[in-house]
């Protein structure tokens, strides 16, 4: 069984010169289309191997599992695996504070480290990611394989329009496209005037594929249009996105498709989980995200018990590396929300799927007057309203003892002619969300646009608590 799976080893080993048959939609036909139960059985053996490796090379996992009474050798069923305590971001921060800079979950020799990345640290102490040299090659292979699934081929030009700094998104996309023998344009993002320059370079190089965050793609379309250039002229065919919800939010997806005339592909787990593209749609199954279970083991779990929920149900993703030897994550809790299904995929891959993508973070969900509001619901709604100006903000504040939600949206309607827009949009939002909404409109192009991930929610209740 395992022997039939192409290049199935731990530690992983891939032939760096391998490319599939040009006519094959699959990079590894067997692994991608095999009976999912057989694949899961091979993964279970692998989970034990990865745990044995982590137990013997890291104090972090040894201490954690000893305290929980978990032994790698006992992981002979998925029920047993679900008893393995999850890793939280707080634990990683603590481990790095006590064992700087990479924490005591660094499982490889520090001489093996090839790249250092990290979180931006805007909301607390940054976390450092150390990625081994061999792991980087394996990540590149995995991402090349997933890009192949999206329809990207050797020789295609791939335009990477995301921050080239600590952020792993851009670097991971670059590594995959390089391994796939593409022509990569590591354009970047975030510097003054760079979006206008991106328009020029896209028009000049006419890439086949493009990578960014979804909000940045919308920003780029606005800038192109303001310069009199139709983004469809770039000739993009595949646009793949990660970093935030958007590519699976129906109205955002449609806005990108309409603006650029390209297929929109959603992908992405977490930076810690690089190869983060292990959740990704494909050319043949472009909606939602497939869980490439032989690269990273994805579970969708109850957020309290961290036991998997049945297919069809909502839960929080929990991720386990199957190939990383530097900082392997074993049951990393994401704090995100999603729903998973296992059904026939049109592309023929036998992976489970997140049909609505990852639709939000548990901690971004706004709890107001007993209701849960997902910011993506507001985004999805506003994009369907005629006269919406393209950007909005959600402010939650406490007035007296009552929580109040204010949605401030841009409109293209001229001042003095906004009454109907304000009334209809406000009442539409209110009935969609089930909470009272104070709706305000502002001029188009006045709210801040994201160059990276959007931050549309301002919860002033947290400030008043401090
Ligand atoms: C997403 C998505 C998505 C990420 N749909 N939410 O871009 C992938 C990696 C590099 C990344 O963004 O990592 P980072 O900065 O650690 O952020 C991870 C979080 O970003 C993740 O937990 C989600 O909340 C969000 N995210 N990709 C919806 N396709």
């Amino acid at each position: 069984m395992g022997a039939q799976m192409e290049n199935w080893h731990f530690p992983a080993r891939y032939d760096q010169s391998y490319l599939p048959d040009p006519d094959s939609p699959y990079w590894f036909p067997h692994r991608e289309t095999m009976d999912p139960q057989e694949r899961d059985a091979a993964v279970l053996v692998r989970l034990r191997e990865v745990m044995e490796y982590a137990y013997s090379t890291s104090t972090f996992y040894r201490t954690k599992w000893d305290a929980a009474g978990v032994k790698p050798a006992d992981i002979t069923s998925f029920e047993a695996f679900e008893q393995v305590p999850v890793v939280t971001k707080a634990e990683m921060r603590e481990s790095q504070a006590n064992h700087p800079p990479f924490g005591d979950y660094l499982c490889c020799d520090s001489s093996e480290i090839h790249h250092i990345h990290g979180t931006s640290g805007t909301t607390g102490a940054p976390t450092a990611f150390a990625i081994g040299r061999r792991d980087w090659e394996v990540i590149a292979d995995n991402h090349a394989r997933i890009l192949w699934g999206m329809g990207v081929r050797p020789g295609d030009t791939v335009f990477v329009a995301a921050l080239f700094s600590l952020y792993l998104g851009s670097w991971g996309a670059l590594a995959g496209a390089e391994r796939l023998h593409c022509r990569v344009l590591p354009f970047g993002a975030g510097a003054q005037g760079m979006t206008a320059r991106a328009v020029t370079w896209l028009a000049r190089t006419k890439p086949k594929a493009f990578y960014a965050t979804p909000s940045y793609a919308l920003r780029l379309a606005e800038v192109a249009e303001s310069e009199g250039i139709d983004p469809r002229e770039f000739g993009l065919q595949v646009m793949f996105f990660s970093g935030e919800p958007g590519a699976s939010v129906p109205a955002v997806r449609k806005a990108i498709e309409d603006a650029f005339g390209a297929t929109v592909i959603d992908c992405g787990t977490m930076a810690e989980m690089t190869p983060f593209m292990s959740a990704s749609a494909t050319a043949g199954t472009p909606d939602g995200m497939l869980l490439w279970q032989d690269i990273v083991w994805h579970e969708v779990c109850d957020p309290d018990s961290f036991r998997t929920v049945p297919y069809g149900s909502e839960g929080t993703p929990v991720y386990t590396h199957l190939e990383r030897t530097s900082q392997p994550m074993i049951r990393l809790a994401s704090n995100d929300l999603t729903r998973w299904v296992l059904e026939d995929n049109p592309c023929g891959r036998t992976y489970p799927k997140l049909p609505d993508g990852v639709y939000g973070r548990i901690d971004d969900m706004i709890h107001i007057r007993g209701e849960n509001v997902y910011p993506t619901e507001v985004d999805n709604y506003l994009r369907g309203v005629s006269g919406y100006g393209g950007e909005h903000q959600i402010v939650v504040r406490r007035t007296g003892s009552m929580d109040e939600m204010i949605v401030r949206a841009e409109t293209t309607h001229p001042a003095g002619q906004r009454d109907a827009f304000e009334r209809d949009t406000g009442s539409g939002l209110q009935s969609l969300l089930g909470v009272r909404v104070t709706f305000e409109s502002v001029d188009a192009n006045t709210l801040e646009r994201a160059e990276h991930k959007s931050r549309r929610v301002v919860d002033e209740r947290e400030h008043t608590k401090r």
Side-chain angles (χ1 to χ4, degrees), residues 167 169 242-245 266-271 276 336 358 361 453:
Y167 183 56
S242 73
E244 60 180 0
D266 194 4
C267 70
T269 57
M270 296 165 76
F276 63 86
D336 288 318
V358 168
R361 298 189 54 74
K453 304 189 186 196

Side-chain angles (χ1 to χ4, degrees), residues 344-361:
D344 288 345
N345 296 307
C347 68
R349 289 178 182 80
T350 50
Y351 296 126
K353 174 171 153 175
L354 310 180
D356 313 308
V358 168
Y359 38 79
R361 298 189 54 74

